[in-house]
Every structure is written in structure tokens, then in C-alpha cells.
Amino acid sequence: YFHMPIGEKAHFGVSLTAPFGFKTEYDSDWVGRYSGIKTDLKAIDLGFAASYDVNPYVSFGASVFVEHLTIELTNAIDYGAILAQSRVPSFAPGSDDGTLKVEGDNNAVGWTVGGLFSPDENTHIGISYRSKVEHKITNGEATFNGGDRARAVLARPTVRPGWFVDTSGRATVTMPASATFSVTHNVNDRWTVMGDVTRTAWSTSFDKVTIDYASNQADSNLNFAYRDTTFVSLGTDFKLSDTVTLRGGVAYDQTPTTDAHRDVRVPDTTRKWLSLGVGWTPSANMEYNFGYTHLFTKDPNVNVTSETGNKLVGKYDVGGDVIAASFNYKF
């Protein structure tokens, strides 16, 4: 982040952030390989922001950002099951596997707006909205490997000609909009409490992703069926001294997945956060912050069927700990 004042009331900022990202990767021969082996999604935002202080009690701001999205998906293909369904001799489910890797990237533009309202010098209320970002990936690539004997049979005119060949493709992936409401209150010179609520509109953006291949290959449909989510947090700062600040907080972080639609690519679950931290300000222009968060979770279930009819039922053992550090310098 970079921030600078412009005169007495205006401000300008630049940020480089990663608002969305996840990765799961399994062994290539694991039991759920037909539903997913590797899933890697990264979104990186370069943003430019400006704000204006109407008076000491009201401020408004907005930003425009360019988001770079990259996606890589791999899964196994049960060629044996496909040929067995077509009654081709010597093939059976699980007898001849291959892999499919799909890659794509795109740049798109989004925006945010917000306001900060201070009814008095000790209470501050913030409201912000982030737009959804629609990525139309037109330069995607699909690569098929393995299962050479089965693919040779599938290429026959009477089976599935034009399928399972390397090809380009396209898809639309939309990152969701979100709205945040937050409050900070200074109880006294040493003690501050704060809270916020964020609502994320997953259901209208990340419901389903369809991969449209340029070959004869039928479309691949990733049915995420995400629901809208709520994130709620409460926290406090306590100034132990002029240079040391202690921090603590709790949060409820709802997952967009459900038992009915959870898949192996994102076996997510609702989390409860417990966070502790400390800030050290050795001088007026330097600040160090350290934090630790433990995630309390329940084990999510999966019950999925791949496009070739392979069924997977199971449960994940999920947990998490986060360690963070930051450095701020003012000049």
C-alpha cells in the first residue's frame, strides 16, 4: 500500500492486493481424481484510490482497480468407463486413465466506493461496496495426456471423433461483489473496540462455470452452486504503553459451500476465528505488527459424481493457523 495526502482534505493511494485465491492439490492416483486433482485460482488487484474529507466528520472515497485472474484445473479422465459405456471390448471403468489440464487468464476492471462518518471524535462508522468483476477468458487452453490406447479408439468416426484433443477454450468467471459495514469506538485513551459485518454475493457470480471447448468436446460444467455469505468480527486494541499495543478478536466466517454441492476442488467449511496480536511503534514513523489466528472448524462432507459417473463420498479433516506480520513506514 502507498498513501499520500493532497492538500489538507484530499488523499491518494495505490494498492497491490490478492483479494481471492485458493489452491488444492491431490496425488494423481487418489480415489477422487476424476472429480479433481489440482485447482489453482489467483486474483491480484492493482488499485488506485482517492478520497476527500468533506469536514472532520464525513469523508468519501473511491477506487478503480485492474484485476489479473489466473486459473489452472486438472482432473483424471476415466477413458475405460467411457468406452465400457459404448460397449467397446477390453475396456472397463478404471482400466485406462488420462488427465485433463485447463489453463486460462484474464484482466478485468472493477471499482469500490465508500464513506466514513464520525458522529463524534471517538466513534467512526465506515461503509464500503466492492463491485463484482467479470472475467471473460477467451484464450484458455485444454491439454489431454495419457490414455493413448483409449484415445485412439475414441477418435474413430463411430465413437467420439474430435474429442480429447488439445484445444483452446473459453469461459466466464465472475468474482463476487461485497458490502461492508464497520464501527470503531474509542472507549478511552488506551482502549478501542471495533466490529464489522461483510456480506458477499457469491450466489449471483460463482454459481456455475462453463468451459466451452473449441473442439467437438462437450462443455465442462463446474457446478459450484455457492450461496451468499456473511462475515462478522469483533475486536479490541489496548495500548499497554506509548509504544506497545495489544490486540485481540473473534470472527464468524461463513462458507459459500453447502453439503449438497461441496466438491473436492474447494472442500470449504465455516470457520470461527480467534486472533491475538501485538503492535510495536519504536518511533513516530515506524510500526511493526505481529498476529496469530486459530481457525475452529467442523469437518465438511463431500458427495460428488464425476462426468464419467465415478461417485465419491467422504469427509475432510480441516483446520488452520495463520501467522502474519506487517511493517508501516511514514515519511
Side-chain angles (χ1 to χ4, degrees):
Y1 296 91
F2 171 79
H3 161 261
M4 65 176 293
I6 301 176
E8 296 183 355
K9 292 188 175 184
H11 305 264
F12 173 75
V14 180
S15 64
L16 184 65
T17 61
F20 300 101
F22 64 84
K23 180 180 179 179
T24 53
E25 189 167 10
Y26 304 89
D27 294 338
S28 60
D29 60 349
W30 85 290
V31 67
R33 60 190 179 276
Y34 303 117
S35 296
I37 296 176
K38 181 179 180 181
T39 304
D40 191 348
L41 181 149
K42 298 183 182 74
I44 300 175
D45 290 4
L46 176 63
F48 302 89
S51 68
Y52 183 76
D53 302 329
V54 178
N55 54 48
Y57 307 102
V58 178
S59 300
F60 294 102
S63 74
V64 175
F65 58 85
V66 178
E67 185 169 271
H68 179 66
L69 181 74
T70 59
I71 297 178
E72 179 182 342
L73 306 173
T74 64
N75 61 268
I77 300 176
D78 191 350
Y79 292 124
I82 297 172
L83 289 170
Q85 292 170 4
S86 300
R87 298 183 179 180
V88 177
S90 75
F91 287 96
S95 65
D96 204 332
D97 282 0
T99 59
L100 165 63
K101 179 168 71 171
V102 177
E103 300 174 283
D105 64 83
N106 180 253
N107 295 320
V109 177
W111 50 271
T112 62
V113 293
L116 183 64
F117 310 94
S118 304
D120 57 54
E121 61 182 9
N122 293 315
T123 305
H124 310 284
I125 301 171
I127 301 174
S128 67
Y129 178 82
R130 173 190 167 95
S131 73
K132 69 178 182 180
V133 182
E134 186 177 80
H135 293 274
K136 294 185 177 181
I137 300 173
T138 58
N139 61 341
E141 296 181 354
T143 306
F144 295 86
N145 290 299
D148 294 340
R149 185 171 72 97
R151 289 167 63 194
V153 175
L154 287 162
R156 296 174 182 172
T158 57
V159 189
R160 295 191 182 184
W163 284 51
F164 310 114
V165 295
D166 295 351
T167 182
S168 60
R170 59 185 181 181
T172 299
V173 179
T174 304
M175 295 294 97
S178 61
T180 300
F181 174 82
S182 61
V183 178
T184 299
H185 178 69
N186 300 321
V187 179
N188 52 44
D189 292 341
R190 291 184 176 272
W191 184 25
T192 302
V193 294
M194 63 282 289
D196 69 61
V197 177
T198 297
R199 186 72 173 168
T200 303
W202 287 104
S203 64
T204 55
S205 60
F206 220 71
D207 180 53
K208 181 174 71 173
V209 175
T210 299
I211 302 173
D212 181 8
Y213 301 100
S215 65
N216 291 338
Q217 184 88 20
D219 294 349
S220 291
N221 294 305
L222 305 178
N223 295 305
F224 291 102
Y226 277 11
R227 62 181 175 181
D228 295 344
T229 60
T230 300
F231 176 88
V232 182
S233 68
L234 296 172
T236 184
D237 285 359
F238 181 77
K239 290 186 177 181
L240 190 64
S241 67
D242 291 340
T243 59
V244 178
T245 300
L246 303 180
R247 299 185 173 94
V250 295
Y252 172 82
D253 189 4
Q254 185 182 24
T255 177
T257 67
T258 61
D259 288 344
H261 297 99
R262 185 180 294 109
D263 65 10
V264 302
R265 294 193 182 277
V266 192
D268 195 30
T269 184
T270 295
R271 299 162 292 276
K272 296 177 182 177
W273 301 37
L274 175 62
S275 301
L276 300 172
V278 60
W280 177 46
T281 309
S283 65
N285 60 345
M286 288 192 296
E287 180 183 9
Y288 300 87
N289 293 288
F290 304 91
Y292 166 76
T293 295
H294 177 72
L295 305 180
F296 297 90
T297 63
K298 292 184 179 180
D299 296 341
N301 298 309
V302 291
N303 186 341
V304 296
T305 302
S306 72
E307 292 184 348
T308 49
N310 308 90
K311 191 174 181 62
L312 177 71
V313 179
K315 179 179 288 188
Y316 281 80
D317 182 11
V318 177
D321 294 278
V322 181
I323 298 175
S326 69
F327 170 70
N328 298 328
Y329 182 75
K330 301 176 183 178
F331 56 90

